Amino acid sequence: METQKLQTFVTVATTLNYTEAAARLFTTQATVSKQILSLEKDLGVTLFSRAHRQVALTASGKAILPKAQAVLAATNELEAVVVAEQTGEGGLLRIRTVPSISSYRAFNQIAAFHQLHPEVKLQIAEMESDAVNNALKNGEADIVFTRLFEAPATNTEAYIGDTDEFVVVVPKGTPPAQAETLSVADLQDQDLLLLGESTHLFQPVARLFADAGATPHITYKGQRIDLILGMVSRGLGISIMMEKAIDLTDFPSLKTVKLDPTVHSQLAFIRPVGHHSATSDAFWQYIHQN
């Protein structure tokens, strides 16, 4: 039986709310429901009653809850002992990441792992994409989180958790904002405000224009997404960015429009092939299971 199902059961039993349980577990309500139904099928009992949209433990659920809590406590204690024995007290896990990690599921995975393994000393540093890749090559990181536009290097192993794609960021009420999609030809006379080369997001945009035989008019290149969004909102131009990396909450005058053709990227944890510390292996196993 998977301990993840037991953790979900205990969390729902604690909150008696599927939405709150999903938030605590850094997952979706649909996943919580699926895991509870699967556990009920495994055990052959009903754990919760769901009458009138109220969640309550059944008699079977109340009887099983303390046993499930004991199993989880023993499992967590065992994992902590194994990590401490193999790596020394606590152990260290060095993760280097691109700045936009908070927009992706990886951010929640790191936070959840830290809650499960407080004995592991996390060392997280945010860098631009080129520095992240160099940190892995130079042995300055155990694991990196980065963006891929092609297959990872053959001397690495990767866990791909998200995909993303380019969209065009434009001010509402302007002609480009009225289109369902925008082509490179539609953009070649626009003032473009782009993320620069060090982010590794400039090169694929440049290739899009080159493949279309068009020359972009680049007004600005930088590293800060929020600064570029502010410039777009003030009418200084438009931008091309990865859709999930954009938060327009503070920029209600902006919208995104699909780019045709677009370019997709994959967001991945990457580490070298070969021997790893127990902390690295523990984290690697965790992200594959969660």
Side-chain angles (χ1 to χ4, degrees), residues 101-202:
I101 186 174
S102 62
S103 302
Y104 302 104
R105 192 164 66 94
F107 188 69
N108 290 338
Q109 289 176 306
I110 293 174
F113 178 80
H114 179 60
Q115 290 183 1
L116 187 61
H117 293 288
E119 75 283 353
V120 173
K121 298 177 179 65
L122 279 178
Q123 186 185 86
I124 305 170
E126 176 187 288
M127 303 174 172
E128 293 300 342
S129 295
D130 52 357
V132 167
N133 296 334
N134 286 333
L136 192 64
K137 294 176 183 177
N138 299 335
E140 299 169 1
D142 302 301
I143 295 173
V144 301
F145 178 77
T146 191
R147 189 183 301 276
L148 299 174
F149 287 98
E150 54 191 25
T154 55
N155 62 342
T156 64
E157 54 182 334
Y159 170 79
I160 297 170
D162 273 299
T163 61
D164 208 347
E165 65 179 8
F166 278 124
V167 292
V168 186
V169 186
V170 298
K172 295 177 181 177
T174 60
Q178 311 312 310
E180 291 186 7
T181 62
L182 291 167
S183 68
V184 172
D186 296 326
L187 303 178
Q188 64 178 341
D189 294 327
Q190 297 284 337
D191 294 323
L192 295 181
L193 315 169
L194 302 177
L195 292 165
E197 287 88 346
S198 65
T199 67
H200 286 193
L201 290 172
F202 177 81

Side-chain angles (χ1 to χ4, degrees), residues 3 6 15 23 28 32 41 70 91 107 114 118 153 210 224 251 268:
T3 56
L6 292 179
T15 62
T28 64
V32 169
K41 182 178 179 180
F107 188 69
H114 179 60
R224 289 176 51 193
F251 301 94

Side-chain angles (χ1 to χ4, degrees), residues 39-276:
L39 182 59
E40 289 179 329
K41 182 178 179 180
D42 291 342
L43 298 175
V45 298
T46 299
L47 298 170
F48 296 100
S49 63
R50 304 169 183 84
H52 309 295
R53 296 187 178 181
Q54 297 295 316
V55 178
L57 279 165
T58 63
S60 296
K62 291 178 181 178
I64 291 172
L65 178 58
K67 304 297 183 183
Q69 291 171 323
V71 169
L72 289 174
T75 300
N76 292 340
E77 183 179 353
L78 174 62
E79 291 178 351
V81 169
V82 169
V83 170
E85 286 294 321
Q86 292 183 346
T87 65
E89 183 60 33
L92 175 67
L93 181 62
R94 302 168 302 163
I95 299 177
R96 302 295 180 262
T97 173
V98 293
S100 56
I101 186 174
S102 62
S103 302
Y104 302 104
R105 192 164 66 94
F107 188 69
N108 290 338
Q109 289 176 306
I110 293 174
F113 178 80
H114 179 60
Q115 290 183 1
L116 187 61
H117 293 288
E119 75 283 353
V120 173
K121 298 177 179 65
L122 279 178
Q123 186 185 86
I124 305 170
E126 176 187 288
M127 303 174 172
E128 293 300 342
S129 295
D130 52 357
V132 167
N133 296 334
N134 286 333
L136 192 64
K137 294 176 183 177
N138 299 335
E140 299 169 1
D142 302 301
I143 295 173
V144 301
F145 178 77
T146 191
R147 189 183 301 276
L148 299 174
F149 287 98
E150 54 191 25
T154 55
N155 62 342
T156 64
E157 54 182 334
Y159 170 79
I160 297 170
D162 273 299
T163 61
D164 208 347
E165 65 179 8
F166 278 124
V167 292
V168 186
V169 186
V170 298
K172 295 177 181 177
T174 60
Q178 311 312 310
E180 291 186 7
T181 62
L182 291 167
S183 68
V184 172
D186 296 326
L187 303 178
Q188 64 178 341
D189 294 327
Q190 297 284 337
D191 294 323
L192 295 181
L193 315 169
L194 302 177
L195 292 165
E197 287 88 346
S198 65
T199 67
H200 286 193
L201 290 172
F202 177 81
Q203 294 85 338
V205 173
R207 284 196 294 270
L208 271 176
F209 279 84
D211 291 344
T215 302
H217 180 254
I218 301 172
T219 301
Y220 175 82
K221 288 192 292 184
Q223 282 72 47
R224 289 176 51 193
I225 292 176
D226 60 335
L227 177 58
I228 292 177
L229 293 177
M231 295 171 73
V232 176
S233 69
R234 288 167 175 77
L236 292 174
I238 65 176
S239 188
I240 301 173
M241 293 184 177
M242 281 286 154
E243 184 173 26
K244 293 179 182 178
I246 306 168
D247 183 357
L248 296 183
T249 303
D250 294 330
F251 301 94
S253 65
L254 303 183
K255 66 174 291 188
T256 61
V257 180
K258 294 291 184 182
L259 179 62
D260 183 25
T262 190
V263 174
H264 293 84
S265 68
Q266 296 177 315
L267 288 303
F269 285 109
I270 298 177
R271 67 176 185 172
V273 171
H275 177 73
H276 302 283

